[in-house]
Amino acid sequence: MKIILLGAPGAGKGTVAKLLSEFDGSVQISTGDILRAAVMEGSDLGKEAQAYMKRGDLVPDSLIMKIMEERLREPDCAKGFIMDGFPRTIPQAEALKDLLEKLSISLDFVANLDVPREVVLDRLTTRRTCSNSSCQEIYNIKSSPPADDNTCTKCGSPVIQRDDETEEAILNRLDTYNAMTAPLIGFYEKEGLLRSFRSLQSRDTVEDIRKSLKG
Ligand code: ADP
Ligand code: ZN
């Protein structure tokens, strides 16, 4: 499958992308995961991105497009991919359109995960993330907690609250989403690629997307 997941922070893009990738070996491409790994490694890219991310601001489009062009040229993308957290602005969506044309890749569709704001806010404040940069498993202190000693059940590393998961940064991320990313819904509607999914349970959403791919 070749799809883009659109949706507010906390809409469940990461969880849905992981579950979808288990079905047919399509790779999950999460710009957030790529950026967080770069920050943890202390690479040049990480140093540049860190301050933006901590505030809950977007990282500049030029930097993101460089990362994505490199990522899409890697051979594992040939089987298929699920993009999660990209594109996030109209300029990124336009640049992606050109890039996909250049690489002769066509998308199946863009799945918009539609989740009420209260649900999103509640999820973000209770979310925890594995601190291991190559794992980044997501937990929720209410619905899917880590192990009793607060470690990751997949890799054993400590599970932490992300820097950008303070209340202030969360509210900023939601505002940024409304201002910069929500307009992509209209963009992809015009492109004839948009499909919306009312999404409360990730597993149900995964089923709905898979049905939609077949139909
Ligand atoms: P969430 O969707 O929960 O906000 P992500 O893991 O997708 O979390 O992104 C975390 C942060 O990484 C964002 O707040 C932003 O600073 C940066 N980021 C991720 N993807 C992009 C992108 N496509 N464009 C600009 N910044 C991005
Ligand atoms: Zn882990």
Side-chain angles (χ1 to χ4, degrees):
M1 68 183 91
K2 295 188 170 75
I3 66 174
I4 293 174
L5 296 181
L6 218 57
K13 299 184 298 291
T15 308
V16 168
K18 270 206 185 85
L19 290 169
L20 283 171
S21 71
E22 283 163 13
F23 283 110
D24 70 350
S26 296
V27 288
Q28 175 188 7
I29 306 181
S30 158
T31 41
D33 285 353
I34 295 171
L35 291 167
R36 272 187 295 281
V39 169
M40 291 179 210
E41 283 154 16
S43 66
D44 287 346
L45 164 67
K47 283 181 197 139
E48 209 174 329
Q50 192 165 26
Y52 296 100
M53 293 175 74
K54 188 163 178 168
R55 289 192 299 265
D57 288 337
L58 292 180
V59 171
D61 290 337
S62 56
L63 203 64
I64 297 288
M65 290 317 301
K66 216 175 98 191
I67 296 172
M68 284 307 297
E69 172 146 14
E70 274 173 25
R71 186 65 190 87
L72 277 172
R73 285 181 183 280
E74 278 174 39
D76 62 347
C77 291
K79 276 188 280 184
F81 52 77
I82 301 136
M83 288 188 189
D84 140 28
F86 170 87
R88 243 190 177 78
T89 64
I90 294 281
Q92 286 180 18
E94 276 165 350
L96 175 64
K97 190 179 169 187
D98 294 343
L99 179 59
L100 291 175
E101 256 163 43
K102 189 165 86 178
L103 301 176
S104 308
I105 296 171
S106 66
L107 295 172
D108 294 309
F109 55 80
V110 176
N112 179 42
L113 309 190
D114 179 15
V115 182
R117 184 183 160 93
E118 318 82 71
V119 176
V120 155
L121 261 175
D122 185 57
R123 277 191 197 156
L124 289 174
T125 47
T126 52
R127 183 151 92 179
R128 300 292 181 272
T129 308
C130 171
S131 60
N132 173 356
S133 61
S134 55
C135 177
Q136 303 197 32
E137 182 72 11
I138 294 166
Y139 294 92
N140 182 291
I141 50 176
K142 290 190 204 158
S143 59
S144 55
D148 284 341
D149 56 352
N150 213 23
T151 54
C152 177
T153 55
K154 293 246 160 89
C155 77
S157 304
V159 169
I160 54 160
Q161 185 161 23
R162 272 162 45 181
D163 258 2
D164 63 353
E165 281 173 351
T166 62
E167 197 176 326
E168 198 188 354
I170 288 171
L171 292 175
N172 187 28
R173 278 158 64 205
L174 289 176
D175 285 348
T176 304
Y177 170 79
N178 287 328
M180 309 294 284
T181 309
L184 295 184
I185 296 172
F187 178 92
Y188 284 117
E189 211 158 30
K190 270 198 211 117
E191 297 279 314
L193 283 169
L194 190 80
R195 299 193 193 173
S196 268
F197 300 86
R198 185 76 178 175
S199 179
L200 291 172
Q201 291 290 327
S202 300
R203 288 190 183 275
D204 296 343
T205 307
V206 166
E207 279 315 303
D208 292 344
I209 292 176
R210 293 190 67 211
K211 272 188 214 136
S212 190
L213 275 164
K214 286 179 202 148

